[in-house]
Amino acid sequence: MDTRFLGTAALTEAPSVAVVIDVMRAFTVAAWAFGQGAEKIVLAESLDEALALKAAHPGWAALKDGPAAPGFDMVNSPGLLRSIDLGGRTVVQKTTAGTVGALAVKDASLVLCAGFVVAEATARLLRTRECDSVTFVVTGEDGQADEDLACAQYIARRATETGADAAEYLHRAARSRAAAELTRGVRQGVHPDDVALCLEVDQFPFAMIAAPEDSLMVLRPCAVPAPSDNPAI
């Protein structure tokens, strides 16, 4: 599998297959939202669009980075989100890096959004679809975020080596600038468990596919069956 690792700003054209990585915290949060029952996640271009979409669709919930703000129901924290029942609801998500990266590759034929929590399912989907060329979009810190690059490299390796060990990549992510800022409380809208939750490998059994729906970029979970442990002979 031919792989490229690029920051969002370095994208010059839509790749065929894109895996957009935001470990801390957009796509960890997205996975938790699906784990809490959300039906779909609409990726918003701006905070104003997120609020407008919520206003136009009673029952939708809006989520943003940073501290709580009027009109928004949730913040971008897996630790805070895990106690919220989102059964059957649509979530509108706007974050600083993750949603921006996903929208930047909206014209790709396949867009996956990922973090460590859905690493195996994402890698398995790449294997299942026999993706020959994959662009990993490293969204944090203008493409320099080590937690995102580590996760991207781990998924790329896992896509070709099913027994790849996550320890080295998790260690890098745990020592990243983002992890330090979350731990020290530099960022707002944070739960003490956020870093640990972002580093839980394969917490969820689904991949997450973003695709255009009615002029919006919509993220949905995609079940990826595991290979049978006892294949028929």
Side-chain angles (χ1 to χ4, degrees):
M1 186 175 72
D2 179 45
T3 56
R4 296 190 303 164
F5 303 91
L6 298 175
T8 303
L11 295 164
T12 57
E13 59 184 7
S16 175
V17 177
V19 181
V20 188
I21 307 291
D22 191 328
V23 173
M24 297 184 187
R25 293 165 285 168
F27 297 138
T28 300
V29 166
W32 269 97
F34 292 130
Q36 293 300 104
E39 178 186 353
K40 64 183 179 182
I41 296 174
V42 176
L43 305 177
E45 295 269 5
S46 66
L47 296 177
D48 287 343
E49 183 189 27
L51 290 177
L53 286 168
K54 179 188 171 183
H57 299 86
W60 285 19
L63 181 157
K64 65 178 283 294
D65 270 337
F72 286 89
D73 305 274
M74 298 167 287
V75 295
N76 194 43
S77 161
L80 295 172
L81 191 72
R82 63 184 171 176
S83 62
I84 300 174
D85 181 5
L86 293 172
R89 299 186 72 182
T90 293
V91 174
V92 183
Q93 185 181 34
K94 169 66 179 86
T95 69
T96 305
T99 58
V100 174
L103 290 167
V105 292
K106 62 184 178 181
D107 293 328
S109 60
L110 175 63
V111 178
L112 302 176
C113 296
F116 283 108
V117 292
V118 293
E120 168 56 23
T122 304
R124 193 184 307 140
L125 185 60
L126 294 174
R127 293 196 302 269
T128 300
R129 299 205 178 187
E130 299 181 346
C131 298
D132 296 326
S133 178
V134 180
T135 297
F136 288 86
V137 183
V138 179
T139 63
E141 300 177 33
D142 296 323
Q144 302 301 310
D146 201 34
E147 75 281 3
D148 291 342
L149 181 59
C151 183
Q153 291 171 339
Y154 174 61
I155 292 173
R157 184 176 175 189
R158 189 91 170 244
T160 56
E161 301 176 31
T162 56
D165 188 355
E168 167 197 343
Y169 305 96
L170 290 172
H171 180 71
R172 286 168 52 193
R175 294 174 59 86
S176 67
R177 175 181 172 183
E181 290 181 350
L182 290 170
T183 300
R184 295 198 310 264
V186 173
R187 303 185 186 187
Q188 298 185 64
V190 178
H191 187 279
D193 294 341
D194 278 357
V195 171
L197 291 172
C198 290
L199 300 180
E200 288 186 339
V201 179
D202 304 335
Q203 173 68 20
F204 300 102
F206 50 78
M208 299 186 294
I209 298 179
E213 295 183 22
D214 299 324
S215 78
L216 298 172
M217 194 66 167
V218 176
L219 188 64
R220 293 182 183 271
C222 175
V224 187
S228 173
D229 291 332
N230 297 295
I233 297 176

